[in-house]
Amino acid sequence: MRLNVHYVTDKNGIHRAVQIPIREWKAYQRHVEKLRRFTEFSNGLREAIKEIDEISKGKKKGVTLSEFLNEL
């Protein structure tokens, strides 16, 4: 995603802030939220795979489907 950035400079020409159109900011926020949800999902999946590996190696006790559903 490429933003149409406008720099705000001080009297010495040093960049002090940026401005972007509100439409682009909202699109950027939606994009960041999608990335956050994807990262959360990916991390959860990674943990689940790790847990499956631990259960298959006998390092962790698994639960039955009934036990799992009762926890919900």
Side-chain angles (χ1 to χ4, degrees):
M1 167 173 272
R2 189 165 175 96
L3 299 175
N4 184 20
V5 177
H6 301 276
Y7 294 96
V8 178
T9 57
D10 64 14
K11 64 182 178 180
N12 297 318
I14 297 173
H15 294 157
R16 296 295 179 184
V18 294
Q19 295 176 327
I20 61 171
I22 198 75
R23 178 181 285 159
E24 290 181 30
W25 173 248
K26 288 179 180 182
Y28 176 76
Q29 287 178 312
R30 286 190 302 272
H31 181 71
V32 168
E33 179 59 22
K34 285 180 186 178
L35 287 174
R36 186 196 63 76
R37 286 194 312 262
F38 175 78
T39 300
E40 193 174 277
F41 172 77
S42 179
N43 288 341
L45 191 56
R46 188 174 292 115
E47 285 299 314
I49 292 169
K50 181 179 173 184
E51 188 173 344
I52 290 168
D53 187 50
E54 290 174 352
I55 291 169
S56 68
K57 291 179 179 176
K59 295 180 180 180
K60 189 171 187 175
K61 182 184 178 293
V63 296
T64 66
L65 178 58
S66 296
E67 291 170 332
F68 174 77
L69 292 175
N70 287 335
E71 290 178 6
L72 300 176

